[in-house]
Amino acid sequence: MASKASRVASFPTIKEVRTLLTQGVGSGGDYHNVKGGHWLIDSKISTPMSGYEQYRASRTSWGINVLGSFCVEIEATDGTKGFATGFGGPPACWLVAQHFRRFLIGADPRDTNHLFEQMYRASMFYGRKGLPVAVISVIDLAMWDLLGKIRNEPVYKLIGGATRERLDFYCTGPAPEAAKAMGFSGAKVPLPYSPGEGPEGMRKNIEFLRKHREAVGPDFPLRVDCYMSLNVPYTIEIAEKCKDLNIDWWEECLSPDDFDGHALLKRAHPTIKFTTGEHEFSRYGFRKLIEGRHIDILQPDVMWVGGMTELLKVSAMASAYDLPVVPHASGPYSYHFVVSQTNSPFQEYLANSPDGKSVLPVFGNLFTNEPIPTKGYLNVSELDKPGFGLEINPDAGLIDAAAVLNLDSAPGKTLQPPPQNEESTDVDGSA
């Protein structure tokens, strides 16, 4: 009989890491990489760029989809492959190939904490937030997919198991009445006008929200996404003027860095719910949000925050403060997380149809079997496949990034190490 040590040593290690790019639009982890006319990019939505008139008509005008999607495939020594998608395009592929790959080749994929820490700390001088952590997130998700496939278990079973038999959803989109008709438990709409559009914009915002409240009735949960575009005085004013509309929560009103601003909002409106977190990164970013006790619901995106490994740490911190965690979008990656957590009561579905009035796969045509909610919910049994359970569509048109990036001509490749003298010398040349 083999010893315990030899059995442990026989677990597959990481043999290769590949990155792939999606062709065209509507496929993969960049939510905003969609065709023109889609509500996500071409409807009236308040953004941090709405203060500039030339960038109000479409979110693509200022570059919300400039990076595009990318995918990571991790192959183990036994031939098993893990796969995940996210946003970042060619720059993300470059970071994987030129920086993060060195920590992965030969590593045990079960060492998710160790590998996250190495990648995070090694990129701290240029990362900590934004694209570098989003790239680490996709690598991490691919590792969890690989682990699930090697062990022949769904990811949610690897991170604590199920806490319920079905997963309920609310819908983010332009048509709350359609979300209600489809069976979703609530709806969230994007706020159309920003502070830069003055008193008239404020009036139109209130009319917009009043219209949707009338359409769904007085009791259906109606939420508002402000996409980092407001400031403290504007948020306090619009929340006051909309008290009679019974808005369930106001989301991401302020810049992600305005931690003190959240305290002012809560001081002005202690009984109104404010949420944020989709553009926050790592447990360090969420520590301040959690400890301040000014946020009512946290909304990390598992494809951005640091992957499943880091999201579990954020969730553990939040649970100690009885704070709900309701992840931002992310499709099945979020579904596996939510069903395993007692402090994650439901999940967001981001309407991926052009008019936002029907349910389509979150990742477009990238997978052949992406589970989607029906009548506003999903049975947990639908997640009972190895890993994240997603099968790559052979017609998705994925491109090996190595053929695009010309990695052999990377600047670092042309730099030669300094000559090594037999005797070291001081700066002035003396021995």
Side-chain angles (χ1 to χ4, degrees):
M1 180 179 290
S3 68
K4 181 178 180 181
S6 64
R7 291 200 305 272
V8 172
S10 69
F11 196 88
T13 57
I14 295 175
K15 173 184 176 182
E16 188 54 83
V17 181
R18 304 179 186 89
T19 56
L20 305 104
L21 295 166
T22 61
Q23 297 187 61
V25 296
S27 184
D30 188 340
Y31 308 117
H32 301 99
N33 190 30
V34 292
K35 292 182 179 179
H38 197 290
W39 75 269
L40 260 173
I41 58 172
D42 287 332
S43 58
K44 177 65 174 162
I45 295 177
S46 180
T47 77
M49 293 295 289
S50 294
Y52 307 98
E53 187 173 357
Q54 67 268 41
Y55 297 119
R56 291 174 186 167
S58 172
R59 296 209 273 180
T60 57
S61 68
W62 52 263
I64 197 170
N65 65 336
V66 68
L67 289 174
S69 303
F70 91 111
C71 306
V72 171
E73 181 183 77
I74 300 179
E75 183 177 355
T77 49
D78 69 346
T80 308
K81 295 178 180 179
F83 184 92
T85 187
F87 92 102
C93 298
W94 183 276
L95 288 176
V96 174
Q98 295 296 99
H99 195 181
F100 298 131
R101 184 178 184 275
R102 73 189 69 194
F103 304 109
L104 303 169
I105 301 300
D108 188 326
R110 293 172 294 183
D111 297 338
T112 53
N113 285 330
H114 177 65
L115 293 171
F116 172 87
E117 210 66 23
Q118 288 192 327
M119 291 186 287
Y120 178 82
R121 290 178 178 274
S123 59
M124 197 181 289
F125 71 100
Y126 68 87
R128 295 175 38 248
K129 297 180 184 289
L131 180 61
V133 179
V135 174
I136 294 171
S137 302
V138 182
I139 294 171
D140 182 80
L141 290 170
M143 279 197 291
W144 281 102
D145 188 51
L146 176 65
L147 286 173
K149 289 175 178 174
I150 292 173
R151 290 174 162 169
N152 198 33
E153 287 189 302
V155 169
Y156 80 85
K157 287 293 187 183
L158 303 180
I159 60 175
T163 61
R164 72 210 72 175
E165 294 183 354
R166 81 177 218 177
L167 174 59
D168 292 308
F169 292 79
Y170 78 93
C171 181
T172 295
E177 63 278 13
K180 182 179 181 181
M182 288 187 284
F184 287 99
S185 62
K188 186 173 71 190
V189 292
L191 194 71
Y193 297 89
S194 74
E197 292 163 275
E200 180 67 8
M202 173 70 79
R203 184 185 64 79
K204 289 182 177 180
N205 274 337
I206 296 169
E207 287 180 355
F208 170 85
L209 296 176
R210 191 172 301 279
K211 177 191 72 173
H212 285 307
R213 171 50 75 201
E214 291 172 355
V216 297
D219 301 321
F220 187 71
L222 181 64
R223 296 141 187 169
V224 183
D225 186 350
C226 305
Y227 198 72
M228 308 176 285
S229 66
L230 310 185
N231 53 45
V232 170
Y234 194 95
T235 304
I236 291 173
E237 181 179 356
I238 194 170
E240 179 66 32
K241 290 181 175 179
C242 291
K243 276 186 173 179
D244 66 309
L245 301 182
N246 190 27
I247 300 300
D248 190 48
W249 74 56
W250 295 87
E251 178 174 322
E252 210 176 21
C253 301
L254 309 178
S255 161
D257 295 310
D258 192 1
F259 292 100
D260 294 336
H262 293 299
L264 297 175
L265 298 183
K266 206 63 182 171
R267 186 183 306 166
H269 295 298
T271 62
I272 290 177
K273 284 187 285 187
F274 295 98
T275 72
T276 195
E278 80 179 69
H279 291 102
E280 193 52 82
F281 298 85
S282 87
R283 62 190 184 272
Y284 297 107
F286 277 90
R287 182 177 66 185
K288 290 192 72 173
L289 284 177
I290 292 168
E291 290 177 346
R293 290 184 177 266
H294 307 306
I295 298 300
D296 297 284
I297 295 173
L298 298 177
Q299 298 166 306
D301 189 306
V302 69
M303 297 194 299
W304 304 346
V305 70
M308 189 67 74
T309 297
E310 197 71 348
L311 180 55
L312 290 170
K313 294 181 174 68
V314 171
S315 181
M317 283 195 297
S319 68
Y321 288 77
D322 293 323
L323 260 178
V325 177
V326 178
H328 172 251
S330 296
Y333 304 133
S334 284
Y335 307 167
H336 281 258
F337 166 79
V338 171
V339 301
S340 74
Q341 303 296 301
T342 56
N343 61 323
S344 291
F346 48 81
Q347 168 62 29
E348 176 181 28
Y349 170 75
L350 183 63
N352 201 23
S353 58
D355 64 0
K357 296 181 179 180
S358 59
V359 177
L360 294 176
V362 172
F363 297 130
N365 72 337
L366 182 58
F367 303 110
T368 59
N369 64 337
E370 181 185 322
I372 55 177
T374 302
K375 296 182 180 179
Y377 71 92
L378 186 73
N379 288 320
V380 173
S381 60
E382 294 188 48
L383 304 177
D384 284 339
K385 298 175 183 176
F388 288 110
L390 299 169
E391 298 174 5
I392 302 170
N393 184 354
D395 297 324
L398 294 175
I399 305 170
D400 189 334
V404 177
L405 295 179
N406 192 18
L407 295 168
D408 289 336
S409 65
K413 299 287 187 182
T414 65
L415 300 177
Q416 299 299 316
Q420 298 294 315
N421 296 328
E422 291 185 4
E423 295 183 10
S424 61
T425 58
D426 295 329
V427 174
D428 64 0
S430 61

